[in-house]
Amino acid sequence: GEYLIDDFIKEKYPLMQNYKDKLKGEIKKIGETSSNVSDKIKERYGFNSNIPIATLNTDALVNPVVFGEFSEKYMVSVVGTSMCDIINRKDFKLVNGSCGTIYNASLRDYYSYESGQIAVGELLSSFISLHEKELSEYDDPFEYLNIEAEKIPPLKSGLVALDFFNGNRSILNDSNVTGVLLGLTLNTN
C-alpha cells in the first residue's frame, strides 16, 4: 500500500511532510483483513475461531469485511449508535434514499451504497436499560421485544411516531429533521 496524499501535504501543509515517520505498520487497503483477534482476547472472551479485524476506516462501511464471502448478493445491517444498511454493486447508479455511495469503501472494486437510520442503537440501549429486569429472563433482548410487540395490534395504542430523534439518514438525508410522538395521554403506559 501507499499514501496517495504526499503532493497534497507538501503543497498545503509543508510542516507535516514527516507524517509517515510517525505512522507504523503495514499500509492495508479497505477490504483487507488487518489481523486476527489475539489468543489473549480469544481466551478472555471465549472466542473459539479466528476472527478477522478490519482495516481502519470510519463508519459502518468496514463491517462487511468480517462476513467473509460478502458480495452484491447480500445486504448487511450494522447497528451501532445508528443503523447502517450497506449493499455493494460493481456498477454505479444514483439511488434515491442512499446517503452515500463510496468506491472501494467495503470491498475492493465495488461501490458501497449506504442508508439507514440515526440513533437506533442509542434508542435500543435506552429501552433495554428501562426493561433490565424483564430482559434478564431472556438470552436475547430481541426475543423479549418481539414477544411484547406481538401483544399489541397495529394502531391499538393510538400512538404515531416519527422516530427522527437525531435526524434522518434515509430517505430524507437530513440530520436536522426532528421527530414527533403523537397520541400521548395520561393513560399511556
Side-chain angles (χ1 to χ4, degrees), residues 142-154 156:
F142 291 104
E143 182 182 357
Y144 170 76
L145 294 174
N146 288 332
I147 290 168
E148 291 300 308
E150 287 172 0
K151 294 178 184 177
I152 306 170
K156 171 78 170 145

Side-chain angles (χ1 to χ4, degrees), residues 70-77 83-88 115:
F70 182 62
S71 70
E72 58 188 301
K73 292 190 256 180
Y74 304 100
M75 179 181 87
V76 173
S77 290
M83 186 174 101
C84 216
D85 301 315
I86 302 164
I87 60 169
N88 288 298
S115 65

Side-chain angles (χ1 to χ4, degrees), residues 16-167:
M16 291 180 56
Q17 289 185 58
N18 68 341
Y19 72 97
K20 288 182 192 174
D21 299 338
K22 298 177 182 182
L23 302 173
K24 297 177 181 168
E26 181 183 353
I27 301 168
K28 301 269 187 169
K29 293 182 179 175
I30 293 172
E32 291 182 330
T33 300
S34 174
S35 62
N36 289 312
V37 170
S38 70
D39 290 336
K40 180 179 176 181
I41 295 296
K42 280 191 232 178
E43 185 179 312
R44 180 176 180 183
Y45 294 104
F47 300 147
N48 57 8
S49 63
N50 285 333
I51 299 171
I53 297 173
T55 51
L56 179 64
N57 192 354
T58 58
D59 217 355
L61 290 165
V62 297
N63 288 281
V65 172
V66 301
F67 290 93
E69 300 267 342
F70 182 62
S71 70
E72 58 188 301
K73 292 190 256 180
Y74 304 100
M75 179 181 87
V76 173
S77 290
V78 180
V79 178
T81 53
S82 62
M83 186 174 101
C84 216
D85 301 315
I86 302 164
I87 60 169
N88 288 298
R89 303 285 304 198
K90 283 277 191 185
D91 55 327
F92 175 79
K93 291 184 178 180
L94 293 175
V95 178
N96 288 336
S98 174
C99 64
T101 304
I102 303 104
Y103 188 66
N104 283 336
S106 291
L107 293 175
R108 192 173 305 124
D109 301 325
Y110 279 81
Y111 290 92
S112 295
Y113 296 84
E114 177 185 348
S115 65
Q117 182 57 33
I118 298 169
V120 170
E122 290 296 318
L123 294 171
L124 278 172
S125 178
S126 294
F127 182 85
I128 287 169
S129 69
L130 290 172
H131 296 275
E132 234 172 292
K133 182 179 175 192
E134 298 92 335
L135 289 169
S136 67
E137 300 172 22
Y138 296 90
D139 291 332
D140 179 1
F142 291 104
E143 182 182 357
Y144 170 76
L145 294 174
N146 288 332
I147 290 168
E148 291 300 308
E150 287 172 0
K151 294 178 184 177
I152 306 170
L155 304 176
K156 171 78 170 145
S157 69
L159 294 175
V160 177
L162 291 175
D163 61 343
F164 307 145
F165 293 105
N166 196 22

